[in-house]
Amino acid sequence: MEVSKMHNPSGAPPRLLSRVYWHFFHSNSGWPSACYSYSRYIPEHDLQNGTHYTMTNGGGVSSSTHLLDLLDEPIPGVGTYDDFHTIDWVREKCKDRERHRRINSKKKESAWELSKSLYDAWSGWLVVTLTGLASGALAGLIDIAADWMADLKEGICMTAFWFNHEQCCWRSDEATFEERDKCPQWNTWADLIIGQAEGPGSYIMNYIMYIFWALSFAFLAVSLVKVFAPYACGSGIPEIKTILSGFIIRGYLGKWTLMIKTVTLVLAVASGLSLGKEGPLVHVACCCGNIFSYLFPKYSTNEAKKREVLSAASAAGVSVAFGAPIGGVLFSLEEVSYYFPLKTLWRSFFAALVAAFILRSINPFGNSRLVLFYVEYHTPWYLFELIPFILLGVFGGLWGAFFIRANIAWCRRRKTTKFGKYPVLEVIVVAAITAVVAFPNPYTRFNTSQLIKELFTDCGPLESSSLCDYRNDMNASNIVDDIPDRPAGNGVYSAIWQLGLALVFKIVMTVFTFGIKVPSGLFIPSMAIGAIAGRIVGIAVEQLAYYHHDWFIFKQWCEVGADCITPGLYAMVGAAACLGGVTRMTVSLVVIVFELTGGLEYIVPLMAAVMTSKWVGDAFGREGIYESHIRLNGYPFLDAKEEFTHTTLARDVMRPRRSDPPLAVLTQDNMTVDDIESLINETSYNGFPVIMSKESQRLVGFALRRDLTLAIENARKKQEGIVGSSRVCFAQHTPSLPAESPRPLKLRSILDMSPFTVTDHTPMEIVVDIFRKLGLRQCLVTHNGRLLGIITKKDILRHMAQMANHDPESIMFN
């Protein structure tokens, strides 16, 4: 049987058949109701060279019949996936449709079957509800614990040790408004150890204790990660993007990873390292979603359906990280999800809503808000201010390009040198340098979230920060606003110098911190860098408008005695620009920052800065930090946003090449069990095309190495007469054999009768788009029905890397 006839009964030529598939991929009908492209699983493990990657995806109605045959007599282990392999999206969707049809066909038989049908229908909402509840509760716990432990570096509340610094002084009657953070109930370590609250001795003792606690927290965090859950380190977003694209990483979303990530995230943030908890919170939420999905058979037995839950969990993670439910949904859609149907959109929205509600109920910051640095501005922005906003966007793009290149270079050096063999030492060194340099500067000693809050805050009458140390102009005759623009005082100039040093410190330390073996997010450090730069620019523009209000750029809209410039708004715009430059997010980032401020009128400045940062960053490289780390780690991730513009054909990429040995194949009815076992033992290929004969090379189907091994083992145990000399038959009818021959082994049920094929003249642009649209891992290459070779997902990634002048052998997970 020729391949073209298997796929197209009308006998259309193979090249026309590719166009038929092309139309299907671009249709709006979604997955085919008849499971037109059902396929069997093939692991994508690159054990030797890529010559014989025998991994295919199938299409055809006949495959659905074989799926039913397989379900009638299931072979233990068939249909599951090994670690570091890719799922078969099409087969998983077909399994789910078959399960759904089976449940619907039985729901009218009895009340019990009807209740099972209702439970199955509502299980999706139940699992995202549980995920949202757990994500919100864990985020609240992490926020409270991290704030308390961060303040523990400086002192302790003697009346109630579980209170942080701010909570300790809330009920004190002796705290003054100007020094609201000082109260008798709060004791610094110098007070407790040497009995001095002021002076050089007190400063040195507090300095030593700050370093001691920072090193203790960092050492405990990296030790727990190394011993109990190595997957708990890092941000987690690059791996989650890879998992959502269909890759299997066992244990990455398990219960041990969840527990250790939660504990060590608190320790890492409290240690004062230049990292944040927002990215790891997405990992924590996905762990919750993965664990709860095992309570529902609909998701526990189907990897594609499970990834719908993980997409909703990602939205819940961002929702509690930034207090931005809508931004969380858009983040999941724009940044991490590979397959995002409409029902996943609604469930993501619901999960983000539940998580935000739980976090708001816990109220971890005591301000009745979802985030610490929630602010509201009351001064409108003016058209002229788009110029400094765009300049901040340029700065954000330059920062993003610099950070990505510098961080990837350092991480590559860590992976390729002996330095990477000592992760505990690296964390201790980075924590020590961070603590030693950070303590003298109040803006680096702050918890990073508190620093962002300080920079975002507008200078009102109740603010006592040095950033708000303005001189009151008593001679001003025309006071328009309650708090007009005023000349900067000594405290503001001193703060600018300290912020400048803090900016350099944050830039350098973030490069070396992101990627160390503790939970480390990038959102907050990037926002802090942008907020520092934005606040400095905002103060500069504010003073320029005050001293030169008669300039034509200010004269039309900034009156004398009016509050024209809001430096906190510049900090917010700068934070968005820098985060956009690093991650290359656009829509979701604008919505997240907008939800932080609650002001519709600032969307245009945010959009201008974020788009500018993306354009500037893309000029130096189109990959964001997460895509760069995916490529650095060699994950098999085919980015849907990356364009393929080359003119190569399928025959240029397929394996085997001319210099390679021929493709290892099976024949449909003239091989024995010993022959197949010998081929399996002598090769490391993950599957074998089945052909009619070595002479014809006509394709019959595809058999997986895993399925072959399991089927033969199962037959030896349960079927009598199966021996090494038994003939293996993949055909529908067993050929006539001599009477004395042993019983043949029929393996047609494990054969994919319609593996996905393209012709050797198919443009690679179409092949790449097919892989992206259907989430394929491989397809066979034929010419007039004769098997020529195979193209796998890794072959495409290698080819794209080679076309981009990158190392093609870096596309290998290790």
Side-chain angles (χ1 to χ4, degrees), residues 1-4 14 696-700 782-787:
M1 184 182 295
E2 295 185 2
V3 176
S4 60
S696 69
Q697 292 290 317
R698 295 288 177 176
L699 185 63
V700 175
T782 62
H783 180 76
N784 292 332
R786 294 171 60 89
L787 178 66

Side-chain angles (χ1 to χ4, degrees), residues 268-307:
V269 172
S271 68
L273 290 166
S274 183
L275 48 82
K277 56 180 180 290
E278 282 63 27
L281 278 176
V282 176
H283 188 185
V284 168
C286 285
C287 288
C288 295
N290 179 66
I291 292 170
F292 285 124
S293 67
Y294 283 101
L295 302 177
F296 304 89
K298 179 179 179 179
Y299 297 100
S300 63
T301 59
N302 193 297
E303 292 291 342
K305 297 293 292 181
K306 185 184 296 183
R307 274 149 182 77

Side-chain angles (χ1 to χ4, degrees), residues 352-393:
L353 171 66
V354 172
F357 173 77
I358 295 300
L359 185 64
R360 172 64 180 81
S361 301
I362 296 174
N363 193 19
F365 304 111
N367 59 358
S368 299
R369 302 291 184 183
L370 294 176
V371 289
L372 177 64
F373 40 85
Y374 182 91
V375 291
E376 289 182 347
Y377 303 123
H378 305 287
T379 303
W381 64 278
Y382 300 94
L383 187 62
F384 158 76
E385 292 183 282
L386 280 178
I387 297 175
F389 292 154
I390 291 174
L391 291 178
L392 287 173

Side-chain angles (χ1 to χ4, degrees), residues 118-180:
L118 293 175
Y119 173 76
D120 180 81
W122 282 93
S123 60
W125 295 101
L126 290 175
V127 69
V128 297
T129 301
L130 292 174
T131 301
L133 290 172
S135 301
L138 287 176
L141 175 65
I142 290 171
D143 288 334
I144 293 172
D147 286 345
W148 178 75
M149 296 187 72
D151 286 345
L152 190 63
K153 299 199 303 291
E154 299 183 4
I156 192 170
C157 186
M158 298 304 296
T159 57
F161 72 90
W162 56 88
F163 282 169
N164 62 22
H165 192 171
E166 186 177 11
Q167 294 168 342
C168 186
C169 294
W170 274 349
R171 300 178 181 178
S172 176
D173 297 329
E174 301 176 34
T176 62
F177 177 77
E178 291 77 11
E179 296 181 340
R180 66 193 75 173

Side-chain angles (χ1 to χ4, degrees), residues 147 150-151 153-154 166 210 269 272-278 365 371-375 377 434 437-458 463 465-468 494-507 509-510 523-536 539 567-572 574-575 596:
D147 286 345
D151 286 345
K153 299 199 303 291
E154 299 183 4
E166 186 177 11
Y210 183 92
V269 172
L273 290 166
S274 183
L275 48 82
K277 56 180 180 290
E278 282 63 27
F365 304 111
V371 289
L372 177 64
F373 40 85
Y374 182 91
V375 291
Y377 303 123
T434 302
V437 179
F439 185 83
N441 189 337
Y443 294 106
T444 53
R445 192 190 316 166
F446 276 159
N447 179 290
T448 311
S449 295
Q450 293 175 332
L451 171 63
I452 295 175
K453 176 187 177 183
E454 182 91 359
L455 296 170
F456 279 13
T457 301
D458 193 13
E463 296 298 327
S465 168
S466 59
L467 283 171
C468 298
S494 175
I496 288 178
W497 281 107
Q498 291 174 333
L499 286 175
L501 295 175
L503 178 64
V504 175
F505 168 78
K506 286 287 184 182
I507 288 176
M509 294 311 302
T510 304
F523 285 11
I524 287 298
S526 296
M527 291 181 68
I529 289 170
I532 293 173
R535 188 76 184 205
I536 294 174
I539 293 174
L569 173 61
Y570 285 75
M572 182 188 72
L596 288 179

